[in-house]
Amino acid sequence: MRLILLGPPGAGKGTQAQRLVEKHGIPQLSTGDMLRAAVQAGTEVGKRAKAVMDAGELVSDAIVNAIVAERIDQADCAKGFILDGYPRTLVQADAVESMLSERGIGLDTVVELVVDDRALVGRIVKRAEDAKAAGQPVRKDDNPAVFEERLREYYKKTAPLTGYYYAKGKLKTVDGMASIDAVTAEIEGVLTAAGKAR
Ligand code: AMP
């Protein structure tokens, strides 16, 4: 199963992706996690991405496309994968199409978590508080000021992807304001229906 999770920052993509990993045994490919790992490791990519990420802007398409192209060739992706936070621009969406068709594989479904923007800042602040309480590092971009920029980037560059995938007949929307369990159940329903339609 190859799946894309769409939605603004704080919509719950990461949480739901982790549940899908457990249930379906396929990896979560989070470009945000991969970029943070590169920053942490001090690689060339990490050095180029750090300031952009801290400002809440998007890293260049070329960088993220290259990271994903390399990652999907790893053995654990053979049975499928969940793309979390990627693609985020129309250029990236076209890149996914090419990557998959070059490998003779396709995309099953795109699930959009639909959320109320007004709830998002609160979720981000809570995520930062929870990380701190658990003794984990707090993301530099999980604060209200940077969040506003992340949301602007989302509307400018990522929101058009819902139309892109709708036009391809791939888009399924899920109520991201429901409880975590209810969202998981709704996603499972979408995946079951998509599996039957294949
Ligand atoms: P995330 O963890 O998905 O919220 O991503 C954190 C940050 O990493 C974003 O605000 C961007 O700066 C960068 N990033 C993650 N994924 C992408 C992507 N697909 N395209 C461009 N930048 C990305």
Side-chain angles (χ1 to χ4, degrees):
M1 179 178 60
R2 282 170 293 271
L3 165 77
I4 291 176
L5 286 180
L6 270 186
K13 300 186 296 296
T15 303
Q16 295 300 332
Q18 279 162 21
R19 290 181 163 210
L20 289 164
V21 168
E22 275 165 35
K23 173 120 202 258
H24 298 276
I26 51 174
Q28 165 194 16
L29 309 191
S30 156
T31 41
D33 285 350
M34 294 182 223
L35 289 165
R36 278 185 288 278
V39 170
Q40 192 71 30
T43 65
E44 254 335 288
V45 163
K47 281 180 200 151
R48 283 162 65 189
K50 185 176 185 313
V52 179
M53 292 172 75
D54 287 350
E57 292 162 12
L58 292 189
V59 173
S60 79
D61 292 327
I63 288 183
V64 285
N65 288 341
I67 293 180
V68 174
E70 199 184 309
R71 182 67 185 86
I72 62 172
D73 283 334
Q74 290 174 14
D76 62 334
C77 291
K79 276 201 313 175
F81 45 80
I82 304 146
L83 292 173
D84 160 16
Y86 178 90
R88 255 175 159 102
T89 66
L90 289 168
V91 171
Q92 293 177 21
D94 283 338
V96 178
E97 290 268 319
S98 317
M99 270 178 226
L100 298 184
S101 70
E102 278 162 17
R103 289 161 177 81
I105 51 182
L107 195 62
D108 294 296
T109 311
V110 178
V111 176
E112 181 192 8
L113 299 180
V114 180
V115 285
D116 178 352
D117 285 356
R118 287 166 300 184
L120 294 178
V121 186
R123 286 190 182 186
I124 292 283
V125 170
K126 186 169 182 310
R127 180 157 80 187
E129 284 168 0
D130 288 350
K132 204 169 164 192
Q136 290 162 358
V138 175
R139 282 175 53 170
K140 250 188 153 170
D141 58 352
D142 271 353
N143 66 70
V146 178
F147 178 77
E148 267 187 41
E149 182 55 28
R150 290 165 66 199
L151 199 57
R152 261 197 300 274
E153 286 282 80
Y154 172 78
Y155 278 112
K156 259 192 291 186
K157 299 173 182 167
T158 311
L161 297 189
T162 58
Y164 176 97
Y165 287 117
Y166 176 81
K168 287 180 185 290
K170 295 272 185 214
L171 186 74
K172 301 283 177 236
T173 55
V174 162
D175 175 12
M177 296 308 291
S179 69
I180 294 176
D181 285 346
V183 175
T184 305
E186 216 186 318
I187 294 175
E188 287 305 331
V190 163
L191 297 181
T192 306
K196 284 190 185 135
R198 267 206 305 277

